[in-house]
Amino acid sequence: MDEKRIKILRDEAPLKAIWSLSVPTILAMWVQVFYNLTDTFFVGRLNDPFKVAAVSVAFPIYMFLMAFSGIFGFGAASYISRLLGEKNYSMAKKTSSTAFYTCIVAAIFITIVSLIFISPILTLIGVTPETHKYAYEYLSVIFSGSLIIMTNFMFTQLLRSEGAAKVSMFGMFIGTGLNIILDPIFIITLGYGVKGAAIATLIGQVVASLYYIFGFYSRKKSLVSLNWKYFSPGKGIYQEILRVGVPASIHNLMISLAQTMGNFVAAGYSDLIVAGYGVVQRIFSMCIMTLIGLSDGTQPLIGYSYGARNIKRLYNVIKTAVIIATGISVFFVVFFYFVSGKMIQIFINNEQVIYYGTQIMRAMMISLPFAGIQFLIRVSFQALGKGKPALILALVRQGIFYAPALFILNKYFGFAGFIYAQPIANAFSLMLAIILFIGIREQISNEHLKVENEETATQLSKLDESFQKCP
């Protein structure tokens, strides 16, 4: 048993513990961003806005695969953290093994279905005739590697659940480093274009997965297990996984859906705006993934504290994380306001793409402070096993609030409505998140008081029995 990781979850001061777990997670998230930025950068070297647009409209599908994997990854991670807090190591191993092999079966099913219906999928996500060929080339490779993408994402979640964030980070570093090396070879040297970008991505993820398997799990360094003998497809385990995993996955699916809707609306203007919107989404993901990395790194601390009934530590962790998230958000808003145009130019040197992309980026950055706190509240619900409020937040930000705002504001205010729909939706989502959190906080306090009363009653009963035995 790795006592050092348990000590971080149990005893480390909140600020130090959050940084210990979140910094590797944030870096790992940035690595994930660089996977996608690298593809965009080298495809952009072809100086063809249609190819950049093709990679942009296909990106939400890549996110969809990870989101579906998140049903098992996020759900298992939340349950495992709580089980470790309860010192129930046997059930933690059963949960990790069950989630892992179930994810493999789901990935095989998705691969078959997506390859059969690839053309209708391209039509559904708003691919234009000019970008259809390139998007098809990219997605045909991505869909073929669904098993690789989904299991690799699964590994990262399981590792974070037990505080092994550094292992997750190193694996992603390996995969991304290889992707950066292979991208120019496959895209430019071998002339595969956008298809080469997808091939390089998959090769990088294969190597990262091999590192997780042979560099960590096979050496028995883990607190959990992927061994088939622990596979226990029982109702109880699946209920715990799905109770948190479905809301968490829906949140990521809604992000993917929102980007698809944004691409659809942008295509109504021109492919140049689609290209600009796509580049901005990749750059913006640097900020979003930083905040998600912070919240994901905080999740095992919250789950462990809740499982160990250390409510004071739980609240201190959440409060500290909110302060950090706010500071990070403000920094990004100021920084990218001044360098937005230059950042876009790095990926494609087209005046119109840069012009529209700058406006889109400055509008989207406004939503960051709202998003950061909301991510932490949503992840807190996941860590506590509170599936219903987590599900509500997963639906409202990019669905119930954003979708109507996008189409209504675009209709009445044109391009300005299109780019400011996200900040408006995020503001409303944050207000709802705070209201839900206040309700859950009262529920946790009542649970804690009930446990304390039960423990006090048990101690008094034992004390009374002791007095009765006295002569």
Side-chain angles (χ1 to χ4, degrees), residues 196-210:
I199 294 172
T201 295
L202 289 185
I203 292 175
Q205 295 214 3
V206 167
V207 175
S209 294
L210 292 175

Side-chain angles (χ1 to χ4, degrees), residues 96-109:
S96 59
S97 179
T98 302
F100 178 70
Y101 290 108
T102 305
C103 181
I104 289 177
V105 174
I108 293 172
F109 173 78

Side-chain angles (χ1 to χ4, degrees), residues 323-340:
I323 294 172
I324 295 172
T326 302
I328 291 173
S329 299
V330 172
F331 168 77
F332 277 131
V333 170
V334 175
F335 177 76
F336 280 104
Y337 180 85
F338 292 104
V339 302
S340 53

Side-chain angles (χ1 to χ4, degrees), residues 438-466:
I438 291 172
I440 292 298
R441 179 167 182 166
E442 292 178 357
Q443 182 180 334
I444 293 173
S445 297
N446 292 334
E447 290 175 0
H448 183 57
L449 182 62
K450 182 180 178 181
V451 170
E452 284 187 334
N453 290 336
E454 290 176 352
E455 290 177 348
T456 301
T458 301
Q459 290 175 358
L460 290 174
S461 177
K462 290 180 178 179
L463 187 62
D464 184 57
E465 290 178 2
S466 300

Side-chain angles (χ1 to χ4, degrees), residues 261-270 273 277 360 401-422 424:
M261 289 188 295
N263 286 326
F264 183 83
V265 172
Y269 292 98
S270 73
I273 291 182
Y277 180 71
I360 295 170
F401 288 151
Y402 176 67
L406 174 64
F407 290 104
I408 292 172
L409 293 176
N410 181 67
K411 179 180 179 180
Y412 290 102
F413 298 98
F415 184 70
F418 162 54
I419 64 177
Y420 283 103
Q422 188 69 76
I424 292 172

Side-chain angles (χ1 to χ4, degrees), residues 5-27:
R5 294 205 300 275
I6 291 294
K7 184 178 180 181
I8 293 174
L9 296 172
R10 184 186 60 210
D11 302 324
E12 202 79 78
L15 180 60
K16 188 174 181 179
I18 289 172
W19 282 122
S20 296
L21 296 177
S22 293
V23 169
T25 306
I26 290 171
L27 291 175

Side-chain angles (χ1 to χ4, degrees), residues 102-124:
T102 305
C103 181
I104 289 177
V105 174
I108 293 172
F109 173 78
I110 288 177
T111 300
I112 295 170
V113 173
S114 59
L115 287 174
I116 292 173
F117 296 101
I118 186 169
S119 291
I121 290 172
L122 290 174
T123 301
L124 186 64

